[in-house]
Amino acid sequence: MSALNLDGIIGYPVTPFTADGERVAVDRLAALVERLVADGCHAVAPLGSTGESAYLDEHEWCEAAETSIAAVAGRVPTVVGIAELTTRSAVRRAQFAERAGASAVMVLPLSYWRLDEREIVRHYTEVAGAVDIEVMIYNNPATAGVDLSPELMVSLVEKIENVTMVKESSGDLGRMHRLFQLTGGELPFYNGSNPLALAALMAGAAGWCTAAPCLIPGATLELHRAVRAGDFETAFKVFQQQLAVLQFIVRGGLPTTVKAGLALRGFDAGGPRRPLLPLDEERTAELSSLLAAVDAGRP
């Protein structure tokens, strides 16, 4: 399976833009990645859904990947997100990420025409075959239009040497139990559904892929520590303290809500890229109250 032995919180940075929204603010992105590492994230995953990868052109994507990897500077693994409609584009970006120094790539198969199992297998086979670094399967049917069953994901890991990990974001806890069951707990799988964080870690997830450390790193990391220590009373308490924030940022769209939350925390990440719009005044005030409640519950 995976040689990275990655267990813990994988922090997802937003991609900051300049004030006019026309360019990636690379200095701000580097500073945000530095915050995630300094706060204790066990890995950093730029260019996922939170990072607005779908809204970046080729140059911007490469710039964000290079900046993030350089800012991490090998202190923790860097898992670069790749979500492309064509296999050719996915291969090109995977190869770029490898050259830039990524530890792994996380591949989400996007679909305009519905992909069948044969096409999904071919996509992962070609992308994984084009690089020597590890590949994480990413299942997120709500955004990708492709739903990978636990059985299919396990078969991909068994058939393709450097496909070694799974991120499961369908929101179905039963799938995580099935991944554990099919592999005897040997396959590292990671929770990508924020409101399921506690249940997923209890179900054997090797970690939690989340943008929450951008806003509430202490609570996020404490949840993981408590579960690993077997202190389930503390884990439940800490999870309940942050659950409303987790629900809010998911419900409002991660780029929009996390950027608003960062502004409330005194970090300028710019606004989301249109057609996404900044959080309105009423919801910003609600988010401010939710963050304050988490802060009040921290020692």
Side-chain angles (χ1 to χ4, degrees), residues 111-189:
S111 174
Y112 182 87
W113 296 106
R114 181 182 294 274
L115 301 181
D116 63 23
E117 186 169 310
R118 179 177 59 99
E119 291 163 333
I120 292 166
V121 171
R122 182 72 176 184
H123 182 74
Y124 276 103
T125 300
E126 290 194 19
V127 175
V131 296
D132 292 323
I133 57 177
E134 295 186 38
V135 175
M136 177 186 286
I137 300 168
Y138 181 14
N139 185 44
N140 191 347
T143 58
V146 178
D147 193 3
L148 310 178
S149 69
E151 289 77 10
L152 175 56
M153 291 189 283
V154 169
S155 73
L156 289 169
V157 172
E158 292 173 343
K159 292 175 183 176
I160 307 172
E161 183 177 2
N162 57 326
V163 174
T164 60
M165 303 172 283
V166 168
K167 178 186 174 186
E168 170 53 54
S169 298
S170 68
D172 181 355
L173 184 64
R175 294 186 179 213
M176 298 186 202
H177 288 300
R178 184 61 175 155
L179 287 169
F180 191 97
Q181 182 182 47
L182 287 169
T183 64
E186 293 297 315
L187 173 62
F189 65 89

Side-chain angles (χ1 to χ4, degrees), residues 8-12 45 48-50 106 108 136-143 153 166-173 175-176 179 188-201 203-213 239 246-247 249-251 254:
I9 302 300
I10 303 176
Y12 279 59
S49 303
T50 302
M106 179 183 67
L108 176 73
M136 177 186 286
I137 300 168
Y138 181 14
N139 185 44
N140 191 347
T143 58
M153 291 189 283
V166 168
K167 178 186 174 186
E168 170 53 54
S169 298
S170 68
D172 181 355
L173 184 64
R175 294 186 179 213
M176 298 186 202
L179 287 169
F189 65 89
Y190 299 85
N191 170 54
S193 178
N194 283 315
L196 285 183
L198 175 59
L201 291 171
W208 174 18
C209 300
T210 177
F239 177 67
L246 300 177
Q247 292 169 326
I249 62 176
V250 171
R251 186 171 61 248
L254 290 167

Side-chain angles (χ1 to χ4, degrees), residues 267-279:
F267 186 95
D268 179 17
R273 178 159 280 177
R274 292 188 295 274
L276 301 179
L277 293 173
L279 205 63

Side-chain angles (χ1 to χ4, degrees), residues 2 4 6 9-13 29 33-34 36-37 41-48 61-82 93-94 96-107 133-136 165 209:
S2 174
L4 289 177
L6 178 55
I9 302 300
I10 303 176
Y12 279 59
L29 176 56
V33 169
E34 177 60 36
L36 292 173
V37 175
C41 287
H42 303 96
V44 174
L47 295 165
W61 188 94
C62 293
E63 190 175 39
E66 278 189 318
T67 298
S68 301
I69 294 166
V72 171
R75 291 171 290 174
V76 296
T78 306
V79 183
V80 175
I82 296 173
R93 293 197 175 185
F96 182 91
E98 181 177 36
R99 290 195 302 270
S103 310
V105 289
M106 179 183 67
V107 178
I133 57 177
E134 295 186 38
V135 175
M136 177 186 286
M165 303 172 283
C209 300

Side-chain angles (χ1 to χ4, degrees), residues 202-228:
M202 296 285 288
W208 174 18
C209 300
T210 177
C214 292
L215 307 181
I216 49 171
T220 305
L221 288 154
E222 186 178 355
L223 172 61
H224 174 260
R225 284 193 297 269
V227 173
R228 290 294 180 259

